[in-house]
Amino acid sequence: MATRILVWGENHHDVHDARTREIYPETMHGTIAGALAAQLGADARVDTATLDQPEHGLTEERLADTDVLYWWGHVQHHAVDDAIVERVHRHVLSGMGLVVLHSGHFSKIFIRLMGTTCALRWRSDRDREVVWTVDPAHPLAQGVPQPFIIDEQEMYGEFFDVPRPDELVFVSGFSGGEVFRSGMTYRRGLGRVFYFSPGDQDFPVYHHPAVQRVLANAASWAAPDRPRELPRLAMYLPGEFDVPREWTGEPQ
Amino acid sequence: MATRILVWGENHHDVHDARTREIYPETMHGTIAGALAAQLGADARVDTATLDQPEHGLTEERLADTDVLYWWGHVQHHAVDDAIVERVHRHVLSGMGLVVLHSGHFSKIFIRLMGTTCALRWRSDRDREVVWTVDPAHPLAQGVPQPFIIDEQEMYGEFFDVPRPDELVFVSGFSGGEVFRSGMTYRRGLGRVFYFSPGDQDFPVYHHPAVQRVLANAASWAAPDRPRELPRLAMYLPGEFDVPREWTGEPQ
Amino acid sequence: MATRILVWGENHHDVHDARTREIYPETMHGTIAGALAAQLGADARVDTATLDQPEHGLTEERLADTDVLYWWGHVQHHAVDDAIVERVHRHVLSGMGLVVLHSGHFSKIFIRLMGTTCALRWRSDRDREVVWTVDPAHPLAQGVPQPFIIDEQEMYGEFFDVPRPDELVFVSGFSGGEVFRSGMTYRRGLGRVFYFSPGDQDFPVYHHPAVQRVLANAASWAAPDRPRELPRLAMYLPGEFDVPREWTGEPQ
Amino acid sequence: MATRILVWGENHHDVHDARTREIYPETMHGTIAGALAAQLGADARVDTATLDQPEHGLTEERLADTDVLYWWGHVQHHAVDDAIVERVHRHVLSGMGLVVLHSGHFSKIFIRLMGTTCALRWRSDRDREVVWTVDPAHPLAQGVPQPFIIDEQEMYGEFFDVPRPDELVFVSGFSGGEVFRSGMTYRRGLGRVFYFSPGDQDFPVYHHPAVQRVLANAASWAAPDRPRELPRLAMYLPGEFDVPREWTGEPQ
């Protein structure tokens, strides 16, 4: 069954910045969606949604029909409705995969899932980023050159204030001397979360074949392998010595 | 310098439940504070605060003067003011230690830090809990018998919907056949968080010497070893090739 | 392409113990292999090998033709040739999956991979084991009842002296009051290692449907998703500022 | 009580290489020992031992009298007697701290503890190394500038074939574009292991104040906080329902 992918974009630079429009004439989310569709072919169904749509394009029905949600946001994080954030949060905890891109580190949904400030260092000055795989057998690294080089990119540097990741897959070095944990995974509830920092509105990073490969790998990795279910609220269990064998309702 | 400890209690069962009053005539938070003071002696200064105080006893000044905050809550989580929760959250991220006790798994501050539902299974039916150390060289396990037995306790069972812990220190087995990850650590921002499930308002668990020992160990473990500072928000770095050597402001 | 599975058994109790012969008339490794073949069908090719075969049935060619190796041993660990252990070790580091079963915790290959004593507590006295999933969205837990109960089983208890696992998937409680981290994963080199404690020569545990389900899940989980290659020994890199773009030899 | 430190060196470059003799006239292990003594003062007792001493200076009595062992080796790893390696291994599992320095990644003791090849990339060409803290509240990072710069150093790069660390504390970027997980912790048995890559025989890295600060932090961090005891071999437990309360022998 095809993985149901939804690429969400705030669609701001895509409309208002000449530079972004030139680099991404099909918008950033459109470019990412196109790359995923090209790489995954019949294994995926790829759609897009944007901030300006009703309910930001993230209705209950839409999310229930999504296996993996990609999230791009930068200067409009504040404009995302809190109720929609709670809805996305619930779907992640219920098993929907989430791929948070670059400046999405400051999105409401990522901060909600991490519980920290998600702050980092930055400098947009055409640094070269070299991305190294530090977990070479990880599915996210399959087919990814070691290393791959992004000629021009915004620098993101440590300390990145997030919880210790479940898995650290990529680490980047920048020509300015900085380093960054650029690919990290987290399980939250029944959902898989992947943060991947390469990508920017000012540079053509989403056209980079290795970046596209990682994003395609993420679809397979983050997709749930069973029906979605919210982890149960505190559940009373009867007090007999033998554990009831009929317990079957646990999320699996 | 003495560790500055603050034990917070919602002070509900302590006042309204005859059984709790009988088991904990000095209140639950008072019992915990007394145990910590007895165990740590001159190494600690121990105070208490409660929900019914102005600002729940958790003023900016009070928190700035606290190294480790212990949190007991059960049926009044909803009554804790969101602004106070944000304040506590900021202090944890800035380096204050936090010890979350038993039913505190559903406190606003714990859910805020974890990003998940924090749901679990439960049954209050006088189960026996056997607490095993699975990380025997961890500071939290120092001097703790292997195993220790709590004759009567509420059962907490898996699945416990929290992020994968940084460290798993204690695992409990219950006479009903259930198991629970009963002692787990998390780093959030610059602060250390310890969740410890043994303890209840209906059973004299906080009088148990091994439980008291773990709680005393937690004070030493969770206390910050340097001045508090909030992780910086995204910080612009100048774009020269040489990394400026004067960078000194990073939280350490 | 079918997953190439090899189930290795020391084939001692299977031959010499009447009780084991009665429980497992097709031998233990034969029973496990049969269960995997039945569950995985055309997705797997399942073979067996035993200690008494030349090179223990683990020739270079055999291992090169194996995706996932299951390891059952108990009282003949010492009889396994060190050179074969090194060979298996090299294949694991190169990407072959390894599933270590029950008393295999004391096998040379597991100790070699862990670097610790791998000691634990035990008691063979018909304890009931209740196995709980603590990472419910993990592929190893797919379709596994929460909990599942093994009516009679040898008790394995903490402290289990192994490195902190990459992932803790299952935790067991025993009727004697003990607990055990019964399902744990480790990445070593490019290979995936899964330790799973349920299973014994004195009890019909390998006939248990949930145990068989976990073992089948392990085949999919541990199989490499790319060609095998040993992590390179220390490799000299030329000293030019630009990272050579032609680097392509890294295991991925 | 003062931490009992032993700095071990293979004492090869220190004697045979003019460049090393010039940079480290008091030998490398002597320089490290002197720095630790200067930084820790009365909190430590610092000795050295070398390969050419009887039993490499690592007798049973010497190790039993050591809290933290620092290990420098480079071209004489093969000359370390296997029996001594087993002895050191046993002491680490029993609680002795171990700090493995730079080229010690290929020492027998480190490979024994890790279970992997411990291979990495390298280039000795006067790269600049910038060391970043990614776990700023960790005791190993206390008082360490963010970042600190080593003007000339051998490059160590990923993929570094070691198990996923318990904690990742430092990440380095090199002027050649490479990155390296330069400070990692592991618990093995009851002992704490810290691998720290900065340091070399060809460059004056061990005179660097920040490097010395990290090494001093490591003494406090790795020292055991209780009497040493080897994790018990598999231990029979009597088969009665009530867990015996007299169990007291577990390492704590």
Side-chain angles (χ1 to χ4, degrees), chain C residues 89 93 106 112-117 119-123 125 155 159 161 163-164 166 175-178 188-189 231-239 241 243 247 250, chain D residues 89 93 106 112-117 119-123 125 155 159 161 163-164 166 175-178 188-189 231-239 241 243 247 250:
Chain C
H89 184 246
L93 298 190
F106 264 163
R112 178 82 174 80
L113 285 160
M114 296 292 105
T116 56
T117 68
L120 48 74
R121 298 167 179 277
W122 62 276
R123 177 185 60 244
D125 198 24
M155 184 280 290
F159 170 62
D161 179 30
R164 193 175 296 169
D166 292 353
S175 40
E178 298 85 359
R188 287 295 179 269
R232 300 281 180 89
L233 291 190
M235 192 166 73
Y236 176 78
L237 292 183
F241 181 79
V243 177
W247 290 348
E250 189 81 5
Chain D
H89 185 246
L93 297 189
F106 264 164
R112 180 82 173 80
L113 285 160
M114 296 292 105
T116 55
T117 67
L120 48 74
R121 298 168 181 275
W122 62 276
R123 178 185 59 243
D125 197 24
M155 185 280 290
F159 170 61
D161 179 30
R164 195 174 295 170
D166 292 354
S175 39
E178 297 87 359
R188 287 295 178 270
R232 300 283 179 88
L233 291 190
M235 193 166 72
Y236 176 78
L237 291 184
F241 180 79
V243 177
W247 289 348
E250 189 80 5

